[in-house]
Amino acid sequence: MSKDPSIEHDLERAIKAGLRERSRTASCPPMDVVAAYCEHSLASEELSQWEAHFAGCRRCQQLLAAMARVEPSVAPAAAPSWWSRALDWRWLVPAAAAASAFAIWIAVRPGTRPAESPTVIVASRPETQAAPTAAAQPEPSSALRMLEKAQEQFAKKTEPNPAESAQAMRDAIDRLAKKEAPTVAAEAAGAVAGKPAASPPAPAVAPAPRTLASRVDAAAADAAMGRQAGLVVIAPGAQVQWRAGPGGQIEQSRDAGATWDAQNAGTSEDLLAGSAPSDSVCWIVGRGGTILRSTDGRAWSRLESPVSADLVSVAATDAANATIAAVDGQRFMTRDGGGTWEKREH
Amino acid sequence: MALASEGLQQFRDRHQTFIGSLYRRAGAAEWAVGTDVFAEALYRSARHRFSDAELEYSPVESYLDALHVEDLALALGCQAGHEGAWRAFVSRYRPRLYAAARSIAGDQDAQDLAGSIYGELYGLKERAGQRRSLFRYYHGRSSLPTWLSAVLAQRHVDGLRAAARLEPLDEARHEIHARRDSDASDPESGLVRRRYVAILTRVVRAALAELDPRERLRLAHYYLDGLTLAQAAALFGEHESTASRKLERTRQGLRARIEQTLRDEYRFDDGAVRECLTVGIEGWTMDLSRELSQETAGSDVQ
């Protein structure tokens, strides 16, 4: 191939021109197909069919590009799940105020952890107890009545300016949102103002003693092998995620955290850290030397551990290669998917 | 309508137990969505994927099992105007709707884009006296937030394409007239230019046609849509390093193929390759601008 920069540049322009050409393809797919494509949930024959269309359709390419620019979604204010219920039930500290509750779990097991380095898991629940006064907020039914009225006026065109009715509807929705979900309304206001959306509250594992455990975590982050945010393990691409916690509970999301499905981990040990180098491979470690691995994203197997100490960190590059760190600073590496472990020096 | 009713009844009879389990999983009763309405929604979703004949032998229950039935039930409740369903929708999805609109359309236009969708979700448009909600197009094949993002993206893109049709048309007309004048005054140059355009378009089209559709799509996102590697990788469900490697391999392969064809098949030396590319691209780009201006905008949400 020529190394002439001008030829290189013109070749790029030629490719660009070729891509802009319109192909004679079938009609564009409906939006539910586009959405399913973006969530990687189309059947294989559908995937082939529609990808062949997308390859030649500029409109669909622009649409997919717009979808790709949507940030990983703001977490909805979902109903409390086993996640927060489990933490609350086990480690609830009486709260001084009714506004919020904090669960603090200090986990120190005699004989397995140095007393000077406890692992602290802190969880908080969003404010759900606040009861706005009747005078300050409208009843939800009246907010919806305003929606109905705005809709009627819009339909009958009695308003001189239909945009005013639409605005009245938006105002009613605002009031409804603020009444029902103050934190969500605050997030929306912040989002509209251009501030980053708040992440959902999640238990955070405090770092182990500053040995190689924290360096393993940093290396994992640098290599983008799979991010870990507290007890939520996110695969590259951010669509597939796992969350794990007390009692061996594991859940998986395939839609960037919008919905979660329970998975059977086959253990009742508390799970403390994870690493997901791909959508189908995930390693999770926990108390008592617990090491779990999934190679298909769904089924879990427990691997033999080189130590019985609590494992507080794992960094994996694939299904075979991973490094784990125990709470006492010991570090082990496997190259054969947990068949054998090699102790690593600090 | 009679055939559709018959098909629905057969569907319900054949999958009665499974529909019942999905109904419970969906929590549809919370939004006062009856089993009839829920079953019909499942049937319409399945009919979007399979024909009536295919419904008899295809793995329909696997398809139904993979649906986002909780979101589907919520959408049905909102469609019916259920207060609790709307309350849940507003609290769960309104911030995400506006955040998605900002990502797609930018801060300035996000409010209008999201607001217009919101109104149609509620059902501000009417037909034959009945409120028509945009939720009727949601069939549970994806999560509700992703479907909402797709609807937003479609509105935004179609709006941009409609606006863009006007600009290149005027420029293209001007360029065409300028070229005609030039060719008339120098017929030989015009002939050379047309020859290079023909060669280049043929060679590039052939090279692109050899690509796998996904690789062509990958190139389009890179060259034309300005997606980052991370965004493109997420779209394809790949690791960013994989996406980067594949893109580079495809680009290099394509450039090499085009250049090699010009040298081997047309016996072009360096100078001729350079001239063909330079002259050919100029003419080709102008033709594309004219074609783009003749494209129609897309249809409404299906």
Side-chain angles (χ1 to χ4, degrees), chain B residues 13 15-16 21 41 57 62-63 68 79 110 138 144 147 163 181 193 196 200 225 248-249 270 277 285 287 295 297 299:
Chain B
D13 292 341
H15 306 288
Q16 187 179 9
S21 72
Y57 61 80
S62 297
Y63 168 82
H68 294 252
Q79 213 173 324
Y138 176 67
L144 193 49
W147 179 80
D181 293 342
R193 187 190 302 111
Y196 279 151
L200 188 61
D225 300 314
E248 198 45 41
R249 190 169 62 212
D270 275 3
L277 288 171
T285 305
D287 290 344
E295 284 178 8
S299 57

Short mmCIF file of all heavy atoms in Angstrom, two decimals, chain B residues 13 15-16 21 41 57 62-63 68 79 110 138 144 147 163 181 193 196 200 225 248-249 270 277 285 287 295 297 299:
data_model
loop_
_atom_site.label_atom_id
_atom_site.label_comp_id
_atom_site.label_asym_id
_atom_site.label_seq_id
_atom_site.Cartn_x
_atom_site.Cartn_y
_atom_site.Cartn_z
N ASP B 13 -55.72 -19.66 23.88
CA ASP B 13 -56.01 -21.05 24.22
C ASP B 13 -54.73 -21.87 24.29
O ASP B 13 -54.53 -22.68 25.20
CB ASP B 13 -56.96 -21.67 23.18
CG ASP B 13 -58.35 -21.04 23.25
OD1 ASP B 13 -58.66 -20.43 24.29
OD2 ASP B 13 -59.09 -21.14 22.25
N HIS B 15 -51.62 -20.91 24.81
CA HIS B 15 -50.59 -20.52 25.80
C HIS B 15 -51.20 -20.01 27.10
O HIS B 15 -50.61 -19.19 27.80
CB HIS B 15 -49.69 -19.43 25.20
CG HIS B 15 -49.08 -19.79 23.91
ND1 HIS B 15 -48.07 -20.72 23.77
CD2 HIS B 15 -49.35 -19.36 22.64
CE1 HIS B 15 -47.74 -20.83 22.51
NE2 HIS B 15 -48.50 -20.02 21.79
N GLN B 16 -52.37 -20.52 27.43
CA GLN B 16 -53.13 -19.97 28.55
C GLN B 16 -52.32 -19.97 29.86
O GLN B 16 -52.23 -18.96 30.55
CB GLN B 16 -54.40 -20.79 28.74
CG GLN B 16 -55.34 -20.22 29.78
CD GLN B 16 -56.61 -21.06 29.91
OE1 GLN B 16 -56.70 -22.15 29.35
NE2 GLN B 16 -57.57 -20.57 30.65
N SER B 21 -48.77 -17.07 33.94
CA SER B 21 -47.54 -16.89 34.74
C SER B 21 -46.87 -15.57 34.40
O SER B 21 -46.33 -14.88 35.26
CB SER B 21 -46.58 -18.06 34.52
OG SER B 21 -45.99 -18.00 33.24
N ALA B 41 -51.94 -7.79 24.40
CA ALA B 41 -50.65 -7.11 24.20
C ALA B 41 -49.56 -8.12 23.87
O ALA B 41 -48.71 -7.88 23.01
CB ALA B 41 -50.27 -6.32 25.44
N TYR B 57 -45.77 -22.90 15.06
CA TYR B 57 -44.64 -23.81 15.24
C TYR B 57 -43.38 -23.14 15.78
O TYR B 57 -42.41 -23.79 16.07
CB TYR B 57 -44.33 -24.53 13.91
CG TYR B 57 -43.94 -23.61 12.78
CD1 TYR B 57 -42.65 -23.09 12.68
CD2 TYR B 57 -44.87 -23.25 11.80
CE1 TYR B 57 -42.30 -22.24 11.64
CE2 TYR B 57 -44.52 -22.41 10.77
CZ TYR B 57 -43.24 -21.90 10.68
OH TYR B 57 -42.90 -21.06 9.66
N SER B 62 -40.69 -19.01 24.29
CA SER B 62 -39.33 -18.49 24.54
C SER B 62 -39.28 -17.00 24.25
O SER B 62 -38.67 -16.23 24.98
CB SER B 62 -38.30 -19.19 23.66
OG SER B 62 -38.26 -20.54 23.95
N TYR B 63 -39.93 -16.62 23.15
CA TYR B 63 -39.97 -15.21 22.79
C TYR B 63 -40.70 -14.41 23.87
O TYR B 63 -40.21 -13.38 24.34
CB TYR B 63 -40.68 -15.04 21.44
CG TYR B 63 -41.04 -13.61 21.12
CD1 TYR B 63 -40.10 -12.74 20.58
CD2 TYR B 63 -42.33 -13.12 21.35
CE1 TYR B 63 -40.43 -11.42 20.31
CE2 TYR B 63 -42.66 -11.81 21.07
CZ TYR B 63 -41.70 -10.97 20.56
OH TYR B 63 -42.03 -9.65 20.29
N HIS B 68 -39.92 -7.87 28.25
CA HIS B 68 -39.88 -7.07 29.48
C HIS B 68 -41.33 -6.86 29.93
O HIS B 68 -41.92 -5.80 29.71
CB HIS B 68 -39.18 -5.74 29.20
CG HIS B 68 -37.74 -5.90 28.85
ND1 HIS B 68 -36.71 -5.54 29.71
CD2 HIS B 68 -37.14 -6.39 27.75
CE1 HIS B 68 -35.56 -5.81 29.13
NE2 HIS B 68 -35.78 -6.32 27.95
N GLN B 79 -51.26 3.61 29.35
CA GLN B 79 -52.11 3.78 28.17
C GLN B 79 -53.56 3.94 28.57
O GLN B 79 -54.33 4.69 27.96
CB GLN B 79 -51.94 2.55 27.27
CG GLN B 79 -52.07 2.84 25.79
CD GLN B 79 -51.73 1.60 24.97
OE1 GLN B 79 -50.84 0.83 25.34
NE2 GLN B 79 -52.42 1.41 23.88
N ALA B 110 -33.23 19.61 24.24
CA ALA B 110 -33.66 18.41 24.96
C ALA B 110 -35.05 18.56 25.54
O ALA B 110 -35.88 17.64 25.47
CB ALA B 110 -32.66 18.08 26.07
N TYR B 138 -45.21 0.16 21.97
CA TYR B 138 -44.24 -0.54 22.79
C TYR B 138 -44.71 -1.98 22.97
O TYR B 138 -45.83 -2.23 23.42
CB TYR B 138 -44.08 0.14 24.15
CG TYR B 138 -43.15 -0.60 25.08
CD1 TYR B 138 -41.78 -0.69 24.78
CD2 TYR B 138 -43.63 -1.22 26.22
CE1 TYR B 138 -40.93 -1.38 25.62
CE2 TYR B 138 -42.77 -1.91 27.05
CZ TYR B 138 -41.43 -1.99 26.75
OH TYR B 138 -40.57 -2.67 27.57
N LEU B 144 -38.23 -0.47 28.61
CA LEU B 144 -38.96 0.74 28.28
C LEU B 144 -38.04 1.95 28.07
O LEU B 144 -38.22 2.71 27.12
CB LEU B 144 -40.01 1.02 29.36
CG LEU B 144 -41.09 2.05 29.07
CD1 LEU B 144 -41.75 1.83 27.72
CD2 LEU B 144 -42.14 2.02 30.18
N TRP B 147 -36.47 1.77 24.64
CA TRP B 147 -37.46 2.07 23.60
C TRP B 147 -37.73 3.57 23.54
O TRP B 147 -37.82 4.15 22.46
CB TRP B 147 -38.75 1.30 23.88
CG TRP B 147 -39.84 1.55 22.89
CD1 TRP B 147 -39.98 1.01 21.65
CD2 TRP B 147 -40.95 2.45 23.06
NE1 TRP B 147 -41.10 1.49 21.03
CE2 TRP B 147 -41.73 2.38 21.88
CE3 TRP B 147 -41.37 3.28 24.08
CZ2 TRP B 147 -42.88 3.11 21.70
CZ3 TRP B 147 -42.53 4.01 23.91
CH2 TRP B 147 -43.27 3.93 22.72
N ALA B 163 -34.49 18.98 7.72
CA ALA B 163 -33.89 20.30 7.62
C ALA B 163 -32.70 20.30 6.68
O ALA B 163 -32.50 21.24 5.91
CB ALA B 163 -33.45 20.77 9.01
N ASP B 181 -20.96 24.32 -17.29
CA ASP B 181 -20.29 25.41 -18.00
C ASP B 181 -18.84 25.05 -18.27
O ASP B 181 -18.32 25.30 -19.37
CB ASP B 181 -20.35 26.70 -17.16
CG ASP B 181 -21.78 27.22 -17.04
OD1 ASP B 181 -22.61 26.80 -17.86
OD2 ASP B 181 -22.02 28.05 -16.14
N ARG B 193 -12.78 13.79 -16.18
CA ARG B 193 -13.42 13.83 -14.84
C ARG B 193 -14.49 12.75 -14.75
O ARG B 193 -14.54 12.00 -13.77
CB ARG B 193 -14.03 15.19 -14.57
CG ARG B 193 -14.55 15.32 -13.14
CD ARG B 193 -15.39 16.57 -12.88
NE ARG B 193 -14.62 17.78 -13.19
CZ ARG B 193 -14.88 18.57 -14.20
NH1 ARG B 193 -15.89 18.33 -15.02
NH2 ARG B 193 -14.16 19.67 -14.42
N TYR B 196 -12.92 9.32 -14.33
CA TYR B 196 -12.37 9.06 -12.99
C TYR B 196 -13.48 8.84 -11.98
O TYR B 196 -13.37 7.98 -11.10
CB TYR B 196 -11.50 10.24 -12.55
CG TYR B 196 -10.11 10.20 -13.14
CD1 TYR B 196 -9.39 11.39 -13.37
CD2 TYR B 196 -9.48 8.99 -13.43
CE1 TYR B 196 -8.12 11.36 -13.89
CE2 TYR B 196 -8.20 8.96 -13.95
CZ TYR B 196 -7.52 10.15 -14.19
OH TYR B 196 -6.25 10.12 -14.71
N LEU B 200 -13.71 5.40 -9.93
CA LEU B 200 -13.61 5.44 -8.47
C LEU B 200 -14.87 4.89 -7.81
O LEU B 200 -14.80 4.09 -6.88
CB LEU B 200 -13.37 6.88 -8.02
CG LEU B 200 -13.05 7.04 -6.53
CD1 LEU B 200 -11.78 6.29 -6.16
CD2 LEU B 200 -12.90 8.52 -6.18
N ASP B 225 -20.62 9.26 11.46
CA ASP B 225 -21.39 9.62 12.65
C ASP B 225 -20.53 10.12 13.80
O ASP B 225 -21.06 10.62 14.80
CB ASP B 225 -22.21 8.40 13.13
CG ASP B 225 -23.19 7.93 12.07
OD1 ASP B 225 -23.87 8.81 11.50
OD2 ASP B 225 -23.24 6.73 11.80
N GLU B 248 -9.59 -0.77 12.75
CA GLU B 248 -8.32 -0.49 12.08
C GLU B 248 -8.05 -1.51 11.00
O GLU B 248 -7.60 -1.18 9.91
CB GLU B 248 -7.20 -0.47 13.12
CG GLU B 248 -5.94 0.21 12.65
CD GLU B 248 -6.19 1.53 11.95
OE1 GLU B 248 -7.06 2.31 12.41
OE2 GLU B 248 -5.55 1.79 10.92
N ARG B 249 -8.38 -2.77 11.29
CA ARG B 249 -8.15 -3.82 10.30
C ARG B 249 -9.03 -3.59 9.07
O ARG B 249 -8.58 -3.74 7.93
CB ARG B 249 -8.47 -5.17 10.94
CG ARG B 249 -8.04 -6.37 10.10
CD ARG B 249 -8.14 -7.65 10.90
NE ARG B 249 -9.50 -7.92 11.32
CZ ARG B 249 -9.82 -8.54 12.45
NH1 ARG B 249 -8.89 -8.93 13.29
NH2 ARG B 249 -11.08 -8.76 12.76
N ASP B 270 1.53 5.98 -9.53
CA ASP B 270 1.26 6.86 -8.38
C ASP B 270 0.49 8.11 -8.78
O ASP B 270 -0.46 8.51 -8.13
CB ASP B 270 2.59 7.28 -7.72
CG ASP B 270 3.05 6.23 -6.72
OD1 ASP B 270 2.37 5.18 -6.62
OD2 ASP B 270 4.08 6.44 -6.06
N LEU B 277 -8.13 9.74 -7.62
CA LEU B 277 -8.75 9.97 -6.31
C LEU B 277 -9.20 11.42 -6.17
O LEU B 277 -10.33 11.69 -5.76
CB LEU B 277 -7.77 9.60 -5.20
CG LEU B 277 -7.50 8.11 -4.99
CD1 LEU B 277 -6.35 7.89 -4.02
CD2 LEU B 277 -8.75 7.41 -4.50
N THR B 285 -18.59 13.39 -4.73
CA THR B 285 -19.16 14.07 -3.57
C THR B 285 -20.32 14.96 -3.99
O THR B 285 -21.36 15.04 -3.31
CB THR B 285 -18.10 14.90 -2.85
OG1 THR B 285 -17.00 14.05 -2.52
CG2 THR B 285 -18.64 15.52 -1.59
N ASP B 287 -22.27 14.55 -6.61
CA ASP B 287 -23.41 13.70 -6.97
C ASP B 287 -24.13 13.23 -5.71
O ASP B 287 -25.36 13.17 -5.69
CB ASP B 287 -22.93 12.46 -7.75
CG ASP B 287 -22.43 12.84 -9.13
OD1 ASP B 287 -22.75 13.96 -9.58
OD2 ASP B 287 -21.73 12.01 -9.74
N GLU B 295 -33.52 12.42 -0.87
CA GLU B 295 -34.01 11.38 0.03
C GLU B 295 -35.18 11.93 0.83
O GLU B 295 -35.22 13.08 1.20
CB GLU B 295 -32.91 10.96 1.00
CG GLU B 295 -31.88 10.07 0.37
CD GLU B 295 -30.79 9.72 1.37
OE1 GLU B 295 -30.94 10.05 2.55
OE2 GLU B 295 -29.78 9.14 0.94
N ALA B 297 -37.59 11.96 4.30
CA ALA B 297 -37.46 11.71 5.73
C ALA B 297 -38.22 10.44 6.06
O ALA B 297 -39.07 9.99 5.31
CB ALA B 297 -38.00 12.90 6.51
N SER B 299 -40.60 7.66 8.38
CA SER B 299 -42.00 7.68 8.76
C SER B 299 -42.13 7.89 10.28
O SER B 299 -41.14 7.97 10.99
CB SER B 299 -42.65 6.35 8.38
OG SER B 299 -41.93 5.31 9.00
#
